[in-house]
């Protein structure tokens, strides 16, 4: 089941449609997310008041990631730690969006009924058309972003502005997902 905004339903392709696929990174049950930690200053010279005033968030559960919204009452422009990998490193002007899997067309196991948050990494420096790559768009007359892929440039709606490309979509590991195989039949049959 794919929940798609009616206004966007006729625009481009979702993940898996017309052989267009987003670059997905599926966490496993052993994944340990990088941790976001505030900086209290430079040593020597860091003052005690600042050191003691900073807050920290607990580590994310294995298979998950953590968000940090510095000002919970302000706009939802927090931070999220992404893994150290070439795709993340090579994203020139990164920004992340949080999207539910249904709105992106990402299929998860049937046991998962509720929407699952995905981290969508976008590169704002890539503002050119690429066929069958997921583009971040501003559709004419709209103030919200739309993410879709197109087989050719002529399929992009007239007046749409390309705001970037999707470079990675991170999926959390959830208990209803299949565990990673150990490579030892005895372990795999014992614990599954």
């Amino acid at each position: 089941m794919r929940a798609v905004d009616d206004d966007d339903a006729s625009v481009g392709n979702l993940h898996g449609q017309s052989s267009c696929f987003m670059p997905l990174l599926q966490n496993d049950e052993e994944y340990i997310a990088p941790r976001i930690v505030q900086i209290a200053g430079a040593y020597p010279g860091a003052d005690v008041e600042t050191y003691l005033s900073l807050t920290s968030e607990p580590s994310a559960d294995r298979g998950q990631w953590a968000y940090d919204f510095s000002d919970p009452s302000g706009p939802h422009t927090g931070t999220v730690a992404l893994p150290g990998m070439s795709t993340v490193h090579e994203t020139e002007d990164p920004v992340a969006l949080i999207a539910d899997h249904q709105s992106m067309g990402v299929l998860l196991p049937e046991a998962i009924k509720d929407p699952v948050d995905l981290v969508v990494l976008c590169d704002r420096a890539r503002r050119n058309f690429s066929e069958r790559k997921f583009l971040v768009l501003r559709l004419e007359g709209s103030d919200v972003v739309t993410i879709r892929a197109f087989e050719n440039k002529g399929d992009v709606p007239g007046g749409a502005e390309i705001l970037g490309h999707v470079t990675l979509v991170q999926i959390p590991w959830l208990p209803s997902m299949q565990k990673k195989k150990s490579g030892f039949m005895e372990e795999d049959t014992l614990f599954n």
Side-chain angles (χ1 to χ4, degrees), residues 159-182:
E161 180 184 1
I162 299 173
L163 304 175
H165 282 227
V166 172
T167 57
L168 180 73
V169 176
Q170 190 171 17
I171 303 169
W173 181 83
L174 300 170
S176 61
M177 295 175 168
Q178 186 174 10
K179 291 187 177 220
K180 185 171 79 173
K181 300 287 185 192
S182 70

Side-chain angles (χ1 to χ4, degrees), residues 25 82-92 121 123 167-168:
L25 172 65
L82 295 170
M85 56 190 295
S86 61
T87 303
V88 175
H89 177 75
E90 292 165 4
T91 300
E92 187 178 335
L121 180 63
D123 190 347
T167 57
L168 180 73

Side-chain angles (χ1 to χ4, degrees), residues 48-78:
V48 172
E49 183 179 342
T50 301
Y51 179 84
L52 294 175
S53 70
L54 297 179
T55 60
S56 65
E57 297 296 321
S59 293
D61 294 337
R62 286 184 184 254
Q64 305 292 311
W65 54 77
Y67 304 111
D68 174 33
F69 291 99
S70 300
D71 181 6
S73 61
H76 292 304
T77 56

Side-chain angles (χ1 to χ4, degrees), residues 106-185:
V106 174
L107 299 178
L108 296 178
E110 290 182 21
I112 298 172
K113 303 294 183 205
D114 295 325
V116 172
D117 283 349
L118 308 177
V119 176
V120 181
L121 180 63
C122 307
D123 190 347
R124 296 177 294 186
R126 297 178 59 195
R127 297 181 71 134
N128 59 317
F129 175 82
S130 291
E131 64 183 36
R132 302 162 53 92
K133 299 292 182 189
F134 282 83
L135 309 174
V136 181
L137 304 167
R138 175 188 298 152
L139 299 178
E140 188 172 36
S142 179
D143 290 334
V144 297
V145 297
T146 298
I147 298 174
R148 291 292 189 273
F150 302 91
E151 294 185 43
N152 58 62
K153 194 170 185 175
D155 293 338
V156 177
E161 180 184 1
I162 299 173
L163 304 175
H165 282 227
V166 172
T167 57
L168 180 73
V169 176
Q170 190 171 17
I171 303 169
W173 181 83
L174 300 170
S176 61
M177 295 175 168
Q178 186 174 10
K179 291 187 177 220
K180 185 171 79 173
K181 300 287 185 192
S182 70
F184 295 98
M185 188 175 86

Side-chain angles (χ1 to χ4, degrees), residues 27-59:
N27 293 351
D28 63 27
E29 73 277 8
E30 296 173 9
Y31 172 77
I32 299 173
R35 190 159 181 195
I36 301 167
V37 179
Q38 290 186 324
I39 300 170
Y43 178 87
D47 65 273
V48 172
E49 183 179 342
T50 301
Y51 179 84
L52 294 175
S53 70
L54 297 179
T55 60
S56 65
E57 297 296 321
S59 293

